[in-house]
mmCIF file of all heavy atoms in Angstrom:
data_model
loop_
_atom_site.group_PDB
_atom_site.id
_atom_site.type_symbol
_atom_site.label_atom_id
_atom_site.label_comp_id
_atom_site.label_asym_id
_atom_site.label_seq_id
_atom_site.Cartn_x
_atom_site.Cartn_y
_atom_site.Cartn_z
ATOM 1 N N GLY A 1080 3.485 14.819 -17.884
ATOM 2 C CA GLY A 1080 4.570 15.256 -18.726
ATOM 3 C C GLY A 1080 4.472 14.754 -20.125
ATOM 4 O O GLY A 1080 4.990 15.388 -21.069
ATOM 5 N N THR A 1081 3.852 13.642 -20.372
ATOM 6 C CA THR A 1081 3.727 13.090 -21.703
ATOM 7 C C THR A 1081 2.455 13.454 -22.367
ATOM 8 O O THR A 1081 2.264 13.189 -23.567
ATOM 9 C CB THR A 1081 3.817 11.545 -21.644
ATOM 10 O OG1 THR A 1081 2.782 11.064 -20.767
ATOM 11 C CG2 THR A 1081 5.181 11.122 -21.110
ATOM 12 N N ALA A 1082 1.496 14.081 -21.619
ATOM 13 C CA ALA A 1082 0.189 14.395 -22.242
ATOM 14 C C ALA A 1082 0.321 15.568 -23.214
ATOM 15 O O ALA A 1082 -0.372 15.584 -24.223
ATOM 16 C CB ALA A 1082 -0.822 14.750 -21.159
ATOM 17 N N GLY A 1083 1.146 16.546 -22.887
ATOM 18 C CA GLY A 1083 1.260 17.697 -23.737
ATOM 19 C C GLY A 1083 2.450 17.540 -24.736
ATOM 20 O O GLY A 1083 3.013 16.509 -24.850
ATOM 21 N N THR A 1084 2.789 18.592 -25.376
ATOM 22 C CA THR A 1084 3.965 18.595 -26.266
ATOM 23 C C THR A 1084 5.102 19.271 -25.544
ATOM 24 O O THR A 1084 5.416 20.438 -25.817
ATOM 25 C CB THR A 1084 3.588 19.359 -27.538
ATOM 26 O OG1 THR A 1084 3.211 20.687 -27.160
ATOM 27 C CG2 THR A 1084 2.485 18.697 -28.292
ATOM 28 N N GLY A 1085 5.686 18.552 -24.575
ATOM 29 C CA GLY A 1085 6.820 19.097 -23.884
ATOM 30 C C GLY A 1085 6.530 19.456 -22.410
ATOM 31 O O GLY A 1085 7.314 20.180 -21.820
ATOM 32 N N GLY A 1086 5.420 18.966 -21.838
ATOM 33 C CA GLY A 1086 5.151 19.182 -20.423
ATOM 34 C C GLY A 1086 4.201 20.328 -20.144
ATOM 35 O O GLY A 1086 3.852 21.070 -21.034
ATOM 36 N N ARG A 1089 4.619 24.202 -21.054
ATOM 37 C CA ARG A 1089 4.493 24.658 -22.402
ATOM 38 C C ARG A 1089 3.015 24.738 -22.860
ATOM 39 O O ARG A 1089 2.741 25.100 -24.003
ATOM 40 C CB ARG A 1089 5.231 23.736 -23.375
ATOM 41 C CG ARG A 1089 6.763 23.811 -23.152
ATOM 42 C CD ARG A 1089 7.451 23.081 -24.258
ATOM 43 N NE ARG A 1089 8.899 23.156 -24.085
ATOM 44 C CZ ARG A 1089 9.773 22.542 -24.928
ATOM 45 N NH1 ARG A 1089 9.310 21.936 -25.991
ATOM 46 N NH2 ARG A 1089 11.077 22.646 -24.677
ATOM 47 N N ARG A 1090 2.079 24.412 -22.003
ATOM 48 C CA ARG A 1090 0.671 24.529 -22.389
ATOM 49 C C ARG A 1090 0.262 25.986 -22.496
ATOM 50 O O ARG A 1090 0.804 26.899 -21.858
ATOM 51 C CB ARG A 1090 -0.230 23.882 -21.315
ATOM 52 C CG ARG A 1090 -0.105 22.348 -21.274
ATOM 53 C CD ARG A 1090 -1.032 21.835 -20.183
ATOM 54 N NE ARG A 1090 -0.964 20.384 -20.117
ATOM 55 C CZ ARG A 1090 -1.608 19.687 -19.194
ATOM 56 N NH1 ARG A 1090 -2.341 20.303 -18.314
ATOM 57 N NH2 ARG A 1090 -1.522 18.356 -19.193
#
Side-chain angles (χ1 to χ4, degrees):
T1081 58
T1084 58
R1089 293 188 180 181
R1090 290 179 179 176

